[in-house]
Each structure stands twice: as C-alpha cells, then as structure tokens.
C-alpha cells in the first residue's frame, strides 16, 4: 500500500510538472525566433510579439520551476531505498542539470528580461538563444537519467550489489536516450507552437491586432508542421528501440498476449487488461504492428505470456506484465492525437500558402482549442513510457516494490499527497489566471518599455 501511494504521489508530481516543461522548451525557441526577426528587420511588430510571448514564457518558467523542485524532495522522502541504490549513477546527470543547464537558463533569462535597452542588441539576442539552449540542456540531462532507468548502461555493480557509474559518455549514447530525447524536443516544439497559435487565434477571432498576430500565427504553423512530422518519425524509431530493450512495454501497448508474425495493429478494442487475454479487437490493420515494432513487413513480436515466462526464468517468480489497459490506450491517445495535429498543421500551412490564414474562421476557432491536444498527448506519452517499465524502477536491476522508504508511513504519504494536491491546484489556477490575464491584455496595451512580466524602462541602444 505504501508503494502504491508513493507511486501515485510521484506520478501526480511528474505529470503536473511535465505540463510546464514542454511549454518552456517550445516557447523559449519561438520567442528566440521572434527576437531574431526583430533583430534582423527592426520591425516594431516583432519587438512587441517578442515582449508579449516573453511574458507568457516567464510565467510558465516560474511556476514550472516550483513544481520541479518537489520531485527532488520526493526522491529522498518516499524513495530512499532507490536513492541509495542508484545514487552513484543518477546523481551525475542531475548534478549536471542543476549546476549547468538550470543556471544557464535562469541567468540568461534574467539578463534577457532586464536587458531591454541596457544590453547591446546582439548580446541581448544571444541571451534569449542561451535561454533556449539551457532548456534543451536541462531536458537532456533529465532524459539521460530517465533513460538509464529504462535501459541501464555504463555501470558496474560494486561489492554491495549497487551500480556505480564507470562511463559517463554511455549515458549520452544510450539508444533509449538518443531517440527519447529528440522525441521530447519535438513534442515541446509542437506544444509551444500550439500555445502560440492558440493565443494568436484568439486575437484573430476577436479581430484585435490582426496584422501583428497574423505573423505569430504563421510562425507557429510553420514550426508546427515539421515538428509534428519529425516527432512522429522519431517516435516510430523509439518504438523499434524499445522493442529491442523493453519488449514487454511494446507487447503491452498492443495487448498482445500471444507471440505473432506478422502482427496486426488494432485501432480499438473492447475489454482487455491483465484479466482479459482475449479482448475484442476492432479495425485490425494487417502488418502494421510488425512495421511499428520491428521496422519490417513480417516482423515477429513476442507476446506478454511468453515474455512473462522468460522473465520468471531470468529474474525469479513475480508479475512482470505492466498495466495493459494503460499501455494500450496511452499509445493510441498519443498516436491518434499526433495524427490529428498533423492534419491540422497541413491545413494551416496550406492556408499560409494561400495567404488566407487570418481569414479562415474555422481554422481560427479550432486553433484556440487545439492547444489542449499536446498536453493530452504528452501525458499519454509519459504514461506509456513510465508505466511500461513496471514492475521495474530500474529495468532488470531494481523493482519498484523494493525502492520506497520503509520508515515512511501511509499517514505520512497521505498528508504530503493532500498538501501537494492543494498546492498544485493553487499553482495551476495561478498559472492559468496569469497566462490568460497577460494573454488577453493586448499587445497594444503594453508600454514601449514593458519587458516580460516586469516593466523595464526602454533605453536607446
């Protein structure tokens, strides 16, 4: 029971934090593009757009940092056995993230915020690009640590049976890291683009600042299309890697209990789960699972039942099948929403080509609400990745059931979980109110000296 509560708490924290991370990464890149456009053209509309979306970036970063700090405490609070076990490996990328990426991001974000009118134009532009690089580096170090949990590399077991890092480079050449990291980067660009598009579409729908926000809408669409195409391609390659190193995860994502060759992909199913090995599968697409899992037309996919038997022989008695229901539907929510976003992006680029994006009423209306899709897709992807590793907290080395803090009681976890829920609801409400308030404030309402969330007097360069 303690383990289940601790898992629920960490899942809540991680999912909530990951609502903000992709926005920070994607929006930082887009704000850097806007700032670059202003630097190159000196058009005042690009300066206004840079300041406007820079404000939204600052709000999101501020709230996101607070939610991320909670995770650090939970490692020691609820997962002390895990922390002791992996400390010699896990500590390295986390230290790199804190000492390098986070300080890079926060330092240059401050310089960019207060540098309007104070720093030379070229240096000021470099600051926002360094912020964007900092967000990418932060994600890189975190994903390196997470990928090691999915596929441990670059370590040796000491005399106490604990892993010790003996090859730092292996963390960053880990196949699960290389494809997983790029997948997250493109997912972040998709998220940031749809956030910018939603805000711009709202203004276009209201017929306010149409000329200025048409530029932002075009930029977001032109970034969105290649980002979603590349994300889907990289996601497919990541599936091939996971079939090799985590075959149980892939089999569970299709609810494939028996081995097959070739293998069909079911669009939907009725029933399913650990107690239903013969669900009713609807709209089966021949050979598609073989292509997605193995990259070949007639590729073989091991089923959950033979994998369970194999793991029992290798690791001893136990239940090694993850929650099949979560795997199956998380995979489809992620894939189907990505397909919807792709079609929406193609529509947007076609409208940009015709020069009628701002005049398309239906695209503008849907653009406001399309912002919901990447958050659902990102959450489904997180569930697919993390639930699919269960019952392992570190694949093949440590089970989740052995990783919690034995001295922490159910009461302790319930209290902290309740507090976190209240705090997160407050932070979420505050973030939403601030984002909506500043998003609706209007770009024309900003004084020339406004810089992000703080008003900084503009000075001539």
């Amino acid at each position: 029971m303690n383990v289940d509560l601790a898992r629920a708490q960490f899942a809540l924290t991680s999912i909530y934090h990951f609502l903000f991370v992709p926005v920070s990464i994607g929006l930082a890149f887009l704000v850097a593009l806007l700032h670059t456009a202003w630097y190159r053209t000196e058009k005042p509309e690009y300066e206004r757009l840079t300041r406007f979306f820079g404000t939204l970036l600052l709000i999101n970063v501020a709230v996101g940092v607070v939610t991320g700090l909670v995770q650090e405490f939970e490692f020691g609070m609820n997962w002390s056995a895990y922390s002791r076990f992996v400390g010699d490996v896990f500590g390295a990328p986390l230290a790199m993230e804190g000492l390098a990426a986070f300080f890079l991001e926060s330092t240059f974000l401050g310089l960019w915020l207060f540098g309007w009118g104070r720093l030379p134009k070229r240096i000021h532009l470099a600051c926002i690009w360094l912020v964007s690089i900092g967000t990418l580096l932060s994600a890189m170090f975190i994903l390196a640590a997470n990928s090691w949990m999915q596929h441990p590399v670059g370590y040796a077991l000491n005399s106490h049976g604990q892993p010790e890092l003996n090859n730092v480079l292996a963390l960053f050449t880990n196949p699960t890291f290389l494809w997983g990291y790029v997948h997250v980067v493109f997912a972040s660009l998709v998220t940031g683009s749809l956030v910018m598009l939603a805000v711009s579409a709202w203004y276009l729908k209201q017929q306010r600042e149409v000329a200025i926000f048409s530029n932002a809408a075009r930029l977001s669409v032109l970034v969105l299309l290649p980002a979603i195409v590349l994300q889907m391609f990289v996601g497919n390659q990541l599936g091939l890697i996971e079939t090799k190193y985590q075959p149980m995860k892939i089999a569970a994502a299709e609810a494939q209990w028996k081995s097959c060759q070739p293998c069909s992909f079911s669009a939907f199913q009725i029933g399913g789960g650990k107690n239903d090995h013969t669900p009713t599968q609807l709209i089966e697409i021949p050979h598609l699972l073989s292509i997605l899992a193995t990259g070949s037309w007639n590729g073989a996919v091991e089923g959950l039942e033979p994998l369970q038997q194999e793991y029992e022989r290798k690791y001893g008695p136990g239940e090694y099948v993850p929650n099949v229901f979560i795997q199956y539907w998380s995979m489809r929510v992620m894939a189907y929403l990505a397909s919807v976003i792709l079609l929406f992006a193609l529509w947007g680029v076609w409208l940009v080509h015709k020069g009628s994006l701002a005049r398309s009423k239906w695209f503008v209306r849907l653009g406001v609400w399309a912002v919901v899709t990447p958050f659902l897709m990102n959450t489904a992807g997180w569930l697919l990745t993390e639930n699919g590793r269960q019952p392992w907290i570190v694949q093949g080395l440590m089970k989740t059931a052995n990783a919690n803090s034995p001295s922490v009681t159910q009461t302790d976890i319930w209290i902290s979980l309740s507090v976190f829920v209240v705090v997160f609801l407050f932070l979420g409400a505050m973030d939403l109110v601030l984002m909506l308030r500043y998003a609706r404030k209007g770009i024309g309402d900003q004084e020339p000296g406004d810089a992000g969330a703080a008003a900084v007097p503009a000075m001539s360069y």
Side-chain angles (χ1 to χ4, degrees):
M1 182 64 175
N2 284 13
V3 173
D4 292 336
L5 278 175
R7 285 186 62 196
Q9 186 180 75
F10 197 82
L12 170 70
T13 306
S14 298
I15 291 174
Y16 191 78
H17 178 58
F18 201 64
L19 296 176
F20 301 94
V21 171
V23 178
S24 296
I25 297 173
L27 208 53
F29 178 78
L30 289 164
V31 170
L33 289 180
L34 288 172
H35 197 146
T36 301
W38 174 54
Y39 174 79
R40 293 174 64 89
T41 66
E42 296 187 348
K43 293 182 178 180
E45 57 264 35
Y46 286 119
E47 179 188 6
R48 288 186 171 187
L49 284 171
T50 302
R51 295 176 185 270
F52 179 83
F53 284 104
T55 300
L56 302 185
L57 171 64
L58 289 165
I59 295 170
N60 187 80
V61 169
V63 179
V65 167
V66 175
T67 61
L69 290 174
V70 176
Q71 289 182 292
E72 305 291 337
F73 289 107
E74 285 189 26
F75 282 128
M77 181 177 68
N78 289 347
W79 302 100
S80 60
Y82 164 78
S83 299
R84 286 193 298 269
F85 183 74
V86 302
D88 290 335
V89 176
F90 211 68
L94 290 185
M96 294 176 191
E97 192 274 335
L99 295 175
F102 179 73
F103 278 104
L104 176 71
E105 178 185 351
S106 56
T107 298
F108 284 98
L109 184 60
L111 288 172
W112 180 78
L113 171 61
F114 294 103
W116 290 94
R118 291 174 168 80
L119 293 174
K121 283 187 176 181
R122 186 175 300 179
I123 300 299
H124 195 214
L125 173 63
C127 286
I128 190 60
W129 277 111
L130 287 170
V131 171
S132 180
I133 292 171
T135 63
L136 293 172
L137 288 176
S138 184
M140 182 183 74
F141 291 125
I142 296 299
L143 262 294
N146 181 269
S147 298
W148 185 86
M149 297 166 65
Q150 308 287 339
H151 175 51
V153 294
Y155 73 96
L157 295 177
N158 60 22
S159 58
H160 301 289
Q162 295 176 322
E164 292 182 347
L165 186 64
N166 59 12
N167 186 352
V168 176
L169 183 61
L171 294 178
F172 301 99
T173 56
N174 187 343
T176 58
F177 162 72
L178 294 174
W179 290 105
Y181 172 62
V182 177
H183 188 57
V184 167
V185 169
F186 285 126
S188 300
L189 293 179
V190 169
T191 305
S193 297
L194 285 170
V195 168
M196 179 176 285
L197 178 60
V199 174
S200 303
W202 186 83
Y203 277 92
L204 296 178
K205 181 182 177 182
Q206 299 292 323
Q207 291 294 298
R208 293 173 56 191
E209 308 285 357
V210 172
I212 291 180
F213 279 102
S214 293
N215 291 327
R218 282 194 295 270
L219 173 63
S220 58
V221 166
L222 293 176
V223 172
L224 176 62
L225 180 58
I228 189 61
V229 170
L230 290 171
Q231 186 202 19
M232 295 176 73
F233 169 76
V234 172
N236 182 63
Q237 296 302 307
L238 182 59
L240 300 180
I241 295 296
E242 290 177 338
T243 300
K244 180 177 181 180
Y245 297 113
Q246 294 177 298
M248 188 73 81
K249 178 186 292 187
I250 298 301
E254 181 54 29
Q256 188 69 42
W257 289 95
K258 305 292 185 181
S259 297
C260 57
Q261 186 180 14
C263 304
S264 300
F265 178 92
S266 63
F268 300 95
Q269 74 175 20
I270 299 174
K274 285 190 177 183
N275 299 321
D276 184 3
H277 294 194
T278 57
T280 302
Q281 296 184 331
L282 306 176
I283 316 178
E284 292 191 64
I285 305 171
H287 296 275
L288 183 55
L289 179 60
S290 292
I291 295 172
L292 295 175
T294 69
S296 61
W297 182 253
N298 292 313
V301 176
E302 278 195 273
L304 293 169
E305 291 178 358
L307 284 170
Q308 169 68 23
Q309 296 170 3
E310 177 186 336
Y311 282 25
E312 285 182 346
R313 290 191 297 269
K314 185 175 182 179
Y315 301 111
E319 178 59 61
Y320 296 96
V321 177
N323 188 309
V324 178
F325 183 86
I326 292 177
Q327 287 300 103
Y328 183 90
W329 288 109
S330 293
M331 192 273 179
R332 278 147 186 79
V333 169
M334 181 179 64
Y336 295 164
L337 286 178
S339 301
V340 170
I341 292 172
L342 173 61
L343 295 175
F344 186 69
L346 287 169
W347 182 18
V349 170
W350 180 65
L351 291 173
V352 169
H353 176 70
K354 289 181 60 180
S356 58
L357 179 68
R359 298 191 303 274
S360 177
K361 292 183 179 180
W362 279 109
F363 183 84
V364 167
R365 290 173 181 173
L366 291 175
V368 175
W369 294 104
V371 69
V372 177
T373 57
F375 295 99
L376 296 175
M377 184 176 66
N378 294 340
T379 300
W382 184 91
L383 288 171
L384 180 71
T385 300
E386 300 306 310
N387 175 76
R389 189 182 64 244
Q390 298 301 319
W392 302 103
I393 194 166
V394 180
Q395 185 75 34
L397 292 180
M398 188 181 203
K399 291 185 177 180
T400 306
N402 302 324
N404 67 314
S405 301
S407 61
V408 178
T409 66
Q410 290 185 30
T411 303
D412 296 331
I413 300 176
W414 273 116
I415 292 173
S416 58
L417 177 59
S418 302
V419 171
F420 286 155
V421 168
V422 172
V423 171
F424 287 165
L425 287 174
F426 171 76
L427 288 174
M430 182 177 67
D431 179 74
L432 183 62
V433 169
L434 288 174
M435 292 282 278
L436 290 176
R437 175 186 174 188
Y438 281 93
R440 293 174 176 175
K441 181 180 179 182
I443 204 166
D445 297 334
Q446 295 183 22
E447 296 297 327
D450 285 353
V456 179
M459 300 171 64
S460 59
Y461 283 97

